[in-house]
Amino acid sequence: MSRPTPVTTGRYAPPAPVRELTATSADGAPVHVEVHGPEGAPAVVLAHGWTCSTAFWAAQIRELAADHRVIAYDQRGHGRTPASPACSTDALADDLEAVLTATLAPGERAVIAGHSMGGMTVMAASGRPAFREHAAAVLLCSTGSTRLVPESTVLPLRPGRVRTWITGHILGSRAPLGPVTPAARRILKYATMGPASAPEMVEACARIVHACPRTVRHAWSHVLASLDLDAGVRELRVPAEIVAGTADRLTPPVHARALAAALPDCRGLTELPGVGHMTPVEAPDLVTTRIRDLVTAHVRAQQPAVPAEESA
């Protein structure tokens, strides 16, 4: 069976990049990278989550690329980046370092936004040299650093060993998702999105998630189930903002609150009533605004002023 294509219409359709390139990770693995917007503009780097791809950031790319250089990449096995037997938080950090090194000039700083596993990528890379050289500030969307399976509320059961065991088996299932059917949309909406999510949002997310190979989904589920990035959170010393949905069943707000308490420089936590796990799709304008504000405060402010005679 052919993989679904993550294409929809309107603001959720992935825009065409200005250019594409392949970054080479520490173990030689290729990473697919897309660059949008004008060269020389303030840089934004987008890291998507588990079972997603660069298409997940379509709304942010469309808005930001007018006056930002937006760099989006596919995690291992997702989108156009080939699968790799190396599935670990170290591999996530290696890949982000490779993207930063391949797309940013020495010393150039960017806002890095990560959703779900993309946020975990940021935590995993927080102590890496390339991250410290290039990260001006970060936005963490719908993410957590540990206890992902025990805290998940996908199953309407009381917390405890039984819920954790069943949840782990569901999230780590090898079963194919199949075509995007009405039933598949309902299941995905329940598990990952808020109850008021518009049909076009659900459709966009369903096409992206169903395009992820089941072997990749299964492999990375084990990494998430055993996740422990608390040390990485403490090393994340750049200004950070957090966005979370109150209806998120995969990473409930307890994770966002724990991050806010542990981050060395947390600049704010925004909890969105009724929004689920897919915050960049469910609340695209707010997420885009948070990225813009971080760029204004921490990237544009660091750029040297152009002398009057040069700007004339």
Side-chain angles (χ1 to χ4, degrees), residues 63-150:
E63 294 297 322
L64 292 170
D67 53 356
H68 295 72
R69 183 157 49 93
V70 184
I71 299 156
Y73 72 99
D74 287 321
Q75 304 270 21
R76 293 189 183 208
H78 298 73
R80 294 170 62 184
T81 294
S84 165
C87 293
S88 66
T89 55
D90 281 342
L92 293 175
D94 287 343
D95 295 351
L96 177 55
E97 275 205 299
V99 171
L100 296 175
T101 300
T103 58
L104 300 176
E108 182 182 8
R109 296 170 73 78
V111 167
I112 305 174
H115 169 258
S116 191
M117 192 172 80
M120 299 161 201
T121 302
V122 170
M123 300 173 212
S126 62
R128 297 291 189 89
F131 183 89
R132 291 192 169 180
E133 177 183 359
H134 294 295
V138 300
L139 179 68
L140 303 173
C141 299
S142 309
T143 193
S145 60
T146 191
R147 291 184 52 81
L148 299 185
V149 175

Side-chain angles (χ1 to χ4, degrees), residues 123-230:
M123 300 173 212
S126 62
R128 297 291 189 89
F131 183 89
R132 291 192 169 180
E133 177 183 359
H134 294 295
V138 300
L139 179 68
L140 303 173
C141 299
S142 309
T143 193
S145 60
T146 191
R147 291 184 52 81
L148 299 185
V149 175
E151 297 290 358
S152 169
T153 58
V154 169
L155 292 178
L157 302 173
R158 289 193 302 176
R161 294 175 62 184
V162 171
R163 188 181 77 175
T164 298
W165 186 85
I166 299 174
T167 300
H169 279 71
I170 291 174
L171 297 180
S173 172
R174 292 181 182 268
L177 296 182
V180 179
T181 63
R185 293 185 194 96
R186 287 194 295 272
I187 292 170
L188 180 127
K189 180 178 179 180
Y190 168 79
T192 69
M193 306 183 77
S197 298
E200 61 270 21
M201 295 178 179
V202 178
E203 179 71 19
C205 288
R207 288 187 176 274
I208 292 168
V209 171
H210 280 240
C212 181
R214 62 175 175 169
T215 53
V216 171
R217 188 179 77 242
H218 174 74
W220 282 107
S221 73
H222 287 290
V223 177
L224 303 182
S226 59
L227 192 75
D228 184 358
L229 290 172
D230 288 348

